[in-house]
Amino acid sequence: MRKLWSFPGGIRLPGFKQLSNSDSIRSLPVPERVYLPLRQHIGAQARPVVTVGEHVDKGQLLAEATSFISAPVHASTSGVVINIGSHTVPHPSGIAEECIQIEADGEDHWYPALAPLDNIDKATPTELRAAIREAGIVGLGGAVFPSAAKLKPPRSIDTLIINGVECEPYITCDDMLMRSNAEAVLRGCVLLQRILSAGQCMLAVEDNKPEAMQQLRKALDILIKAAEPGAKDIELVSIPTVFPAGGEKQLIKVLTGQEVPAGGLPYELGVVCLNVATTAAVYDAIFLGRPLVSRIVTVTGSGISRPGNYQVPLGTPIQLLLDTVGVIDGEAKLIMGGPMMGQRLPTGHAMVVKGTNCILVNKPQPKMTPMPCIRCGSCANACPMNLLPQQLYWHARGKTFDKLERYQLSSCIECGCCNLVCPAHIPLVSYFRYAKTELADQTFKRQRAEESRLRSELRQQRLEHMQREAEERKAKRKAARLTSKKKTVSTKVMASPAVENAPHSMQVSND
Ligand code: SF4
Ligand code: SF4
């Protein structure tokens, strides 16, 4: 039995998981149009390699990665590219970004050139990583960091952690994936462990998902009995259900007892952490040759009639998904993600992207009026990052932004625990998000001002240098003129008969 640690704070929440995890994963009909943003990941935007009017097949490359931290985008169905331009993306601001729009032909025909990786057992880590990069795989737990980049850490890795915790209430897409396709998850783990040469691999699941754990155990037994290389190195770990145990830093603490330092990254401790859905996507890419073109999305909440999990082609309009599940309350709030860390969407016009794990549609709740802070300290007790939320709140509210870093605002993971326990109903996380935006804006302005100061200093130095050079040239020309004048005078004087006959003293004075 593995020893487990606990992280500070955290809260036990009602799960509401049964709303969506009682039926198997359903498929959506092919949408008439899909809208594929060129940036569905952290990092540089992908660059289109198709043109308007071109016919594409499902899985065909539409846009290529443009840097190490970037990911390509593939067609999620077959059809014709009808536009490359701005469209609303899933963001609280309702912002538009560049998307490739495909009008589906209804055939959903796979690109014929796609094929599994050759000779998988002998493939090198570099070849496996390249296949993962080409498949456009990013962290599907919501972080959307390009996986190939995460699999090339700057130091050696001892521990690979596969995150099947899914601690947010309502969300069940990872739970359903582990129940329905445990083998793909486990085979993906083996590949990832090979890439990283990690000594140990732990797959963690919260103890509120017994069916998922059972399926994983069964599948692992089969792989071990079949002597699948690497299978016996996978350790399935059941962890207590406490929010936010699925946070990367919290999970590392629970499983290893180690703390990722403030501002640090897990690889610094020799740990890499990936989500179970990412792991299954790795299996699809390597064993089936399938790039990331769809994902499981939990559609749930009190505001819809048929909650459940759906296999959704990327780029599917969220409104189409809502029409399928039947929204029963027009006033319902739309959230992408869970109730704790999700983002409110102003409209259903945006689309499902690689990071869309859940669409939550809850009936509106009565609004609680915020009251003054009573300094009860509940928020600090609940904070999993050991922060002082009430201090952060005072400084965010008072706009004393310089003090916020002293209280480590940047370490706040916006988990919402402090919000939930605050008896004064202060929307603490909204203050923190506002303060982070202001600080980012100030940093940006400071950098711009610094760049402009440097540019101006360099220009001044350049002008002074040019002026110095011009003066030196002028001085040289003047000196040259004087020398030549003297030579001329001297030659004339030498040539003059009067001088030739002059006394010696007179000739000397002319020199
Ligand atoms: S929980 Fe709310 S009332 Fe209590 S100290 Fe924190 S901010 Fe103040
Ligand atoms: S939102 Fe930030 S400050 Fe509040 S509990 Fe979570 S990590 Fe702590």
Side-chain angles (χ1 to χ4, degrees), residues 379 382-385 387 389 392 411-419 429 432:
C379 51
C383 179
M385 296 302 293
L387 305 178
L392 291 171
S411 295
C412 168
I413 55 170
E414 299 176 18
C415 66
C417 289
C418 51
N419 249 18
V429 179
F432 304 157

Coordinates of all heavy atoms in Angstrom, one line a residue, residues 379 382-385 387 389 392 411-419 429 432, ligand 2:
C379 N -11.1 31.4 4.7 CA -10.5 31.4 3.3 C -9.0 30.8 3.4 O -8.6 30.0 2.6 CB -10.6 32.7 2.6 SG -9.9 34.1 3.6
A382 N -8.9 27.2 3.9 CA -9.3 26.4 2.8 C -8.3 26.4 1.6 O -8.4 25.6 0.7 CB -10.7 26.8 2.3
C383 N -7.4 27.3 1.7 CA -6.5 27.6 0.5 C -5.5 26.4 0.3 O -4.7 26.2 1.2 CB -5.8 28.9 0.6 SG -4.7 29.2 -0.8
P384 N -5.5 25.7 -0.8 CA -4.6 24.6 -1.0 C -3.2 25.1 -1.4 O -2.3 24.3 -1.4 CB -5.2 23.9 -2.2 CG -5.9 24.9 -3.0 CD -6.4 25.9 -1.9
M385 N -3.0 26.4 -1.6 CA -1.7 26.9 -1.9 C -1.1 27.6 -0.7 O -0.1 28.3 -0.9 CB -1.8 27.9 -3.1 CG -2.2 27.2 -4.4 SD -1.2 25.8 -4.9 CE 0.3 26.7 -5.3
L387 N -2.0 30.3 0.8 CA -2.0 31.7 0.7 C -2.9 32.4 1.7 O -3.6 31.7 2.5 CB -2.5 32.1 -0.7 CG -1.7 31.5 -1.9 CD1 -2.3 31.9 -3.2 CD2 -0.3 31.8 -1.9
P389 N -5.9 34.5 1.4 CA -6.8 35.2 0.5 C -7.3 36.5 1.0 O -7.6 37.4 0.2 CB -7.9 34.1 0.4 CG -7.3 32.9 0.7 CD -6.3 33.2 1.8
L392 N -4.9 39.1 0.2 CA -4.9 39.4 -1.3 C -6.1 40.2 -1.7 O -6.0 41.1 -2.5 CB -4.9 38.0 -2.0 CG -3.7 37.1 -2.0 CD1 -4.0 35.8 -2.5 CD2 -2.5 37.8 -2.7
S411 N 0.8 32.6 -7.3 CA 0.7 31.2 -6.9 C -0.8 30.8 -6.8 O -1.1 29.6 -6.7 CB 1.3 30.9 -5.6 OG 2.7 31.1 -5.7
C412 N -1.7 31.7 -6.9 CA -3.1 31.4 -6.7 C -3.6 30.6 -8.0 O -3.4 31.1 -9.1 CB -3.9 32.7 -6.6 SG -5.7 32.4 -6.8
I413 N -4.1 29.4 -7.8 CA -4.6 28.6 -8.9 C -6.0 28.8 -9.3 O -6.6 28.1 -10.1 CB -4.3 27.1 -8.6 CG1 -5.0 26.6 -7.3 CG2 -2.8 26.8 -8.6 CD1 -5.0 25.1 -7.1
E414 N -6.6 29.8 -8.6 CA -8.0 30.2 -8.9 C -9.0 29.0 -8.7 O -9.9 28.8 -9.5 CB -8.2 30.8 -10.3 CG -7.4 32.1 -10.4 CD -7.4 32.7 -11.8 OE1 -8.3 32.4 -12.6 OE2 -6.5 33.5 -12.1
C415 N -8.7 28.2 -7.6 CA -9.5 27.0 -7.4 C -10.9 27.3 -6.9 O -11.8 26.5 -7.0 CB -8.8 26.1 -6.4 SG -8.6 26.8 -4.8
G416 N -11.1 28.5 -6.3 CA -12.4 28.9 -5.8 C -12.7 28.4 -4.4 O -13.8 28.7 -3.9
C417 N -11.8 27.7 -3.7 CA -12.1 27.2 -2.4 C -12.4 28.4 -1.4 O -13.3 28.3 -0.6 CB -10.9 26.4 -1.8 SG -10.7 24.8 -2.6
C418 N -11.6 29.4 -1.5 CA -11.8 30.6 -0.6 C -13.2 31.2 -0.8 O -13.9 31.5 0.1 CB -10.7 31.6 -0.7 SG -10.4 32.1 -2.4
N419 N -13.5 31.3 -2.1 CA -14.9 31.9 -2.4 C -16.0 31.1 -1.8 O -16.9 31.7 -1.2 CB -15.1 31.7 -3.9 CG -15.0 32.9 -4.7 OD1 -14.6 34.0 -4.2 ND2 -15.6 32.9 -5.9
V429 N -12.3 35.3 -5.9 CA -11.5 34.9 -7.1 C -11.7 36.0 -8.2 O -10.8 36.3 -8.9 CB -12.0 33.5 -7.6 CG1 -11.3 33.2 -8.9 CG2 -11.7 32.5 -6.6
F432 N -9.1 38.4 -7.5 CA -7.8 37.9 -7.9 C -7.6 38.0 -9.4 O -6.5 38.3 -9.9 CB -7.5 36.5 -7.3 CG -7.8 36.4 -5.8 CD1 -8.1 35.2 -5.2 CD2 -7.7 37.5 -5.0 CE1 -8.3 35.1 -3.9 CE2 -7.9 37.5 -3.6 CZ -8.2 36.2 -3.1
Ligands
SF4_2 S1 -8.5 30.7 -5.3 FE1 -6.4 31.2 -4.9 S2 -6.4 32.2 -2.9 FE2 -8.4 31.2 -3.1 S3 -8.2 29.2 -2.2 FE3 -7.7 28.9 -4.4 S4 -5.5 29.2 -4.5 FE4 -6.1 30.0 -2.5

